[in-house]
Amino acid sequence: MIEIKNLTVDLGSFLLKDINLKVEKGEYFIILGPTGAGKTILLESIAGLYPIKSGEIWLDGKEVTALEPEKRGIGFVYQDYVLFPHLSVKDNLIFGLRQRGRPKEEMQRVAEWLADLLGVSHLLQRRPDTLSGGERQKVALARALSVSPGVLLVDEPLSALDPQTREGMQQELRHIHQQLEATIIHVTHDFEEAIALGDRIAVLNEGRIVQVGTPEQIFRHPDSEFVARFSMTHNIFAGEVHQSSDGHTLFAIDDTEFEVVTELSGKLHASVRPEDILVSKEPLISSARNSLKGTITSISDRGSTIHLTVSTPLDFVCIVTRRSFDELNIEKGGEVYITFKASSVHVF
Amino acid sequence: MIGQIWRWLAQRRLTITFLLLGTIILLFIFVPLTKTLFSSSPSLLWETLLEGEVISSIWLTLYTALLATVVGLVLGVPLAYFLARHSFRGKRFVEALIDVPIVVPHTAAGIALLFVFGQNFVIGRAFHSIGIDFVLSVPGIVIAMLFVSVPFLINSAKQGFEKVDERLEKVARTLGASPWQTFFRVSLPLAKGSIFGGSVMMWARGISEFGAVLVLCSYPTIAPILVYTRLEEYGLNYALPVASILIIICLVVFVGLRSFAYRKEKT
C-alpha cells in the first residue's frame, strides 16, 4: 500500500498541490491528466527522483519521504523505456540484482523467469538498440520488476507504441498485475487506457487531483471538463462481450445489446462517437447492424450542431446538424430511432 | 558540349570555390609535415633515434604527458561530471576559466606556474616539504603539461556526460544502485568514448607542449625542447631528424588511438 499525503511539488512554471492519494496493495491505479499536467514529475517525486516541496510518502506503513530512491523499493518505467544502451537485455534485467550482490544462480534464474513472463526470452543476448518499441517496453517492465518493488510506477507505457502493439502491451500490463498481484500506479493522458486498465482512476488537472473513483464513477459523473468533454464525445458504456447463438459478437449492458466487432471478450467497455450515430423518426433499413428505439431527454443547441441525448434507456449522445434537426422536426420527449454500425463501436 | 560543361560548373560554383580554398589549407598542413618526414634518410633517422639524448628525451616526453593525462583523469573527470549535471550561478565563469589555458601564451602560463609552484610561494613550499620540487624536475614538466592540456579532457568528458540521458541514472537508482554505483556502472561506461577521446587529445597536446615546460623545466629535456636547442646550437640539419622522429611518433600514436576509438564507437 502506498499513501501520498499533502504532496506539493514545484514544477517551475506551476505547482502540483496538495496531492493526496491512497493506493491499496494489489490495486491498478491510474493517474489521468492532460499532457503537460506534471504527471511524469509526480511519479518521479513519489520515487524520490525529484525534490518535493512538502508532503509525505508512506509505503506499507513506513514513511519513505526522506529515503533515497535506491532504498524505497519503488520500480519505475519511463515512457520511452530508457534501457541501458551499453548492456545486453539480460544485463539490463539483472542490473538491480547485481547492485545488491546477489549470487549468480539467482540472477540467472530471475532473468529467465522475467524474460519468460514477458515473452522476451529470445532477446536476452540482444542489445537494446536492436529491439522494437514493444520489445523495449517489455524489457523495461521486466527490469523494473527484477527487484520485486513494492509499487511499480509506469509513465505513459503505451503512448509511444503503435496501435497494434499497444493492445498487446495493455494485455501484458493486466497480466503482470494479476499474476504478480503487483501494485501499479500508471499515468496516462488516454481516457480509454485509463478505463480499460484502472481499478480506480485519479484525475489530475491544473496541478490538483480533481476526482478519484472507479472508471464508471469517473465517466458517469466527471468532475473536470477534461473528462466531461471526453465522456460527452464518446458515449462510454461498461458491459460484457459475448457470442450470440448465431455467431455474432454482442455487447450487453443490462437489458440492452448491440453488435460489435472485436477479438476481446469478458467484462469490457464500449464507446460510440456521437457523430457516428444516425437519428431517424422511423426505423432505418440499412447495412448498419444496430438500431435502438429511444426517447429524447435533452436537446442542446451548439450553433451549427445540435446535441441530443437519447435514452434507450441507456443515454446516447448524438450530434445532428441544424438542418437535419429542422427536417426531423423532433422535440424533447419525442421517440426516435438511433442507428450505428457494429464497426463504429470501439471495444476496450 | 562546352555549354554543358560550363553550365555544370556554373551550378557548382560554391562547391568548387570552397573545395579550392579547402585544398589550400589542407596542403598547408600536409606539405610541411611530409616534407620534414622525407627530408632525412631512414638511416639517419635510425642513427638519431639511437642517440642516448634523443631516445631519453622522447621517452621522457611520452611518459610525462601520460602522467599529466592520468592526473587530468583523476581530477578532471569528476569536475566534468559535476558541470554536466548541475547548473549554478557562475557556471559560465567556471567553464570560461577551464578554457583559459588554451588561450593564454604558454610561456606566460609557465611563468604563472613557476610563481605558484616555485619555493617562494606556500604551495611550492608545501610540496617541497614532502620532497616534490617543480623546478628543473619531472613533476615540473607534468604540471606544465597538465595546465595547458587538461581543458581538452575536461571539455570532452563534459560533453560525453551531457549526452548520457539523466533518466538512465534515475532508473539505476530505482533499481537499487547508490550514486557511486550509478556513476561507475552507468554514467562512466556511457561517457567512456568521449573521455578516451579527450585523453588522447590531452596526451597529444602534452607531448607537443614547449613554452610552459621551457619556463619551468628546461632540464631534463623533453623532445620539443631538444628540437629547439639543436636548431639554435647546431642548425637545421641537426634539428631535422629529431623533428621527423617526433612527428612520426605523434602521427602513429594519434592515428592509432583515433582508429581504436572509432572502432570502439562503432561496436
Side-chain angles (χ1 to χ4, degrees):
Chain A
M1 190 193 75
I2 182 161
E3 203 175 347
I4 294 149
K5 297 178 185 168
N6 302 318
L7 184 73
T8 300
V9 185
D10 191 349
L11 301 184
S13 51
F14 65 102
L15 286 178
L16 283 179
K17 239 182 147 181
D18 303 326
I19 306 287
N20 284 289
L21 292 173
K22 195 170 173 183
V23 179
E24 299 299 332
K25 201 165 190 61
E27 191 173 21
Y28 202 121
F29 193 86
I30 299 268
I31 297 174
L32 175 67
T35 311
K39 302 189 296 292
T40 301
I41 295 201
L42 175 57
L43 283 193
E44 285 195 347
S45 308
I46 296 171
L49 300 168
Y50 193 92
I52 64 173
K53 254 180 94 118
S54 61
E56 292 171 12
I57 298 159
W58 292 71
L59 191 63
D60 294 328
K62 270 180 283 182
E63 191 182 351
V64 298
T65 320
L67 271 189
E68 292 156 309
E70 62 266 30
K71 291 178 185 147
R72 292 196 185 192
I74 295 180
F76 205 110
V77 180
Y78 278 105
Q79 176 177 2
D80 45 354
Y81 336 122
V82 247
L83 299 175
F84 301 122
H86 59 305
L87 301 178
S88 69
V89 167
K90 185 180 167 191
D91 286 334
N92 265 278
L93 293 189
I94 59 178
F95 182 92
L97 296 172
R98 187 166 276 164
Q99 297 316 309
R100 283 150 206 234
R102 304 316 276 261
K104 260 214 158 94
E105 307 79 64
E106 185 187 334
M107 293 198 284
Q108 181 69 25
R109 203 181 63 238
V110 172
E112 280 169 13
W113 171 70
L114 283 169
D116 190 48
L117 180 73
L118 273 306
V120 293
S121 302
H122 57 298
L123 304 173
L124 279 176
Q125 303 310 322
R126 296 260 292 271
R127 290 261 162 183
D129 57 6
T130 67
L131 306 181
S132 72
E135 289 167 342
R136 285 180 205 199
Q137 186 64 276
K138 287 182 187 174
V139 175
L141 265 172
R143 181 179 62 181
L145 291 168
S146 68
V147 289
S148 344
V151 181
L152 182 62
L153 309 181
V154 278
D155 182 12
E156 301 264 6
L158 307 174
S159 56
L161 303 172
D162 61 80
Q164 278 181 342
T165 320
R166 192 177 304 165
E167 198 150 289
M169 202 61 221
Q170 199 163 304
Q171 306 279 29
E172 207 69 66
L173 283 165
R174 198 178 279 131
H175 172 70
I176 288 170
H177 173 237
Q178 285 162 358
Q179 185 147 344
L180 305 181
E181 294 169 358
T183 311
I184 297 180
I185 301 180
H186 170 150
V187 306
T188 181
H189 68 274
D190 187 310
F191 200 86
E192 289 185 2
E193 198 176 305
I195 292 171
L197 284 167
D199 293 326
R200 281 190 307 146
I201 298 173
V203 181
L204 185 69
N205 202 14
E206 288 171 352
R208 287 169 186 275
I209 301 284
V210 291
Q211 192 176 10
V212 181
T214 63
E216 274 70 14
Q217 287 168 346
I218 299 283
F219 67 72
R220 284 285 158 248
H221 309 287
D223 267 357
S224 69
E225 208 197 319
F226 162 64
V227 174
R229 196 181 302 139
F230 188 92
S231 307
M232 261 305 275
T233 53
H234 283 76
N235 289 317
I236 305 162
F237 304 103
E240 201 164 352
V241 171
H242 64 90
Q243 304 290 323
S244 71
S245 47
D246 51 350
H248 296 298
T249 308
L250 296 176
F251 192 86
I253 312 129
D254 303 329
D255 293 334
T256 312
E257 277 188 342
F258 48 80
E259 204 173 324
V260 295
V261 184
T262 182
E263 304 282 308
L264 305 171
S265 63
K267 279 197 186 309
L268 290 158
H269 296 87
S271 73
V272 196
R273 291 177 160 277
E275 57 272 32
D276 290 340
I277 302 175
L278 295 172
V279 180
S280 59
K281 278 201 140 168
E282 303 297 326
L284 284 182
I285 298 167
S286 75
S287 65
R289 302 303 307 173
N290 300 309
S291 196
L292 302 168
K293 188 178 173 187
T295 314
I296 296 176
T297 53
S298 86
I299 298 174
S300 141
D301 195 332
R302 303 290 173 95
S304 58
T305 59
I306 314 284
H307 289 212
L308 307 173
T309 309
V310 179
S311 172
T312 73
L314 295 175
D315 281 340
F316 281 89
V317 174
C318 316
I319 299 177
V320 295
T321 61
R322 173 165 296 281
R323 214 172 136 193
S324 311
F325 179 74
D326 290 342
E327 281 173 12
L328 278 168
N329 188 23
I330 45 182
E331 53 193 26
K332 198 169 162 184
E335 281 198 345
V336 287
Y337 289 86
I338 57 170
T339 308
F340 50 92
K341 291 183 183 179
S343 59
S344 299
V345 184
H346 181 215
V347 179
F348 56 98
Chain B
M1 183 65 191
I2 287 180
Q4 268 180 342
I5 294 174
W6 189 244
R7 203 162 55 240
W8 189 87
L9 288 174
Q11 282 167 354
R12 288 161 180 78
R13 263 182 307 216
L14 178 112
T15 314
I16 291 166
T17 314
F18 282 14
L19 216 56
L20 280 173
L21 292 172
T23 309
I24 294 170
I25 192 73
L26 273 177
L27 286 174
F28 175 72
I29 296 170
F30 186 72
V31 172
L33 288 176
T34 43
K35 178 85 173 82
T36 313
L37 285 182
F38 293 110
S39 49
S40 309
S41 69
S43 58
L44 179 62
L45 285 183
W46 185 243
E47 235 170 74
T48 313
L49 193 58
L50 293 182
E51 274 179 53
E53 196 187 23
V54 173
I55 200 158
S56 66
S57 78
I58 287 174
W59 176 241
L60 178 71
T61 313
L62 293 180
Y63 98 78
T64 45
L66 193 62
L67 273 179
T69 308
V70 171
V71 175
L73 281 170
V74 173
L75 301 178
V77 169
L79 175 64
Y81 183 69
F82 182 85
L83 289 174
R85 283 289 175 268
H86 298 271
S87 47
F88 50 89
R89 274 182 68 133
K91 182 177 177 180
R92 284 283 178 82
F93 173 77
V94 172
E95 286 171 336
L97 187 69
I98 291 166
D99 286 335
V100 166
I102 297 174
V103 297
V104 296
H106 287 180
T107 41
I111 287 170
L113 286 171
L114 188 62
F115 214 58
V116 170
F117 288 93
Q119 283 183 40
N120 294 326
F121 191 66
V122 57
I123 296 176
R125 272 204 300 277
F127 275 103
H128 177 73
S129 67
I130 55 167
I132 300 174
D133 281 308
F134 293 99
V135 180
L136 296 177
S137 68
V138 169
I141 301 173
V142 173
I143 60 160
M145 287 176 169
L146 178 67
F147 187 85
V148 298
S149 64
V150 80
F152 293 97
L153 175 56
I154 296 176
N155 288 334
S156 178
K158 190 182 82 180
Q159 281 167 17
F161 286 126
E162 279 166 354
K163 272 189 273 174
V164 177
D165 188 343
E166 219 171 318
R167 295 175 309 158
L168 285 166
E169 296 169 357
K170 290 183 172 179
V171 166
R173 298 291 299 280
T174 65
L175 291 169
S178 68
W180 289 94
Q181 287 172 321
T182 302
F183 177 77
F184 284 108
R185 291 285 312 281
V186 179
S187 326
L188 192 61
L190 286 171
K192 71 169 186 252
S194 303
I195 295 171
F196 182 75
S199 304
V200 172
M201 280 300 293
M202 179 174 174
W203 192 34
R205 187 66 196 78
I207 290 170
S208 59
E209 180 50 25
F210 173 76
V213 179
L214 184 70
V215 172
L216 223 57
C217 179
S218 55
Y219 187 85
T221 317
I222 57 165
I225 294 179
L226 185 70
V227 173
Y228 182 73
T229 49
R230 289 208 168 184
L231 180 70
E232 284 285 275
E233 289 170 23
Y234 309 108
L236 186 59
N237 286 340
Y238 284 86
L240 200 55
V242 186
S244 306
I245 289 168
L246 209 51
I247 291 174
I248 291 172
I249 289 172
C250 287
L251 279 181
V252 168
V253 167
F254 197 61
V255 171
L257 290 177
R258 265 248 161 147
S259 64
F260 177 70
Y262 179 69
R263 213 173 311 136
K264 264 183 125 175
E265 227 165 76
K266 272 175 78 177
T267 53

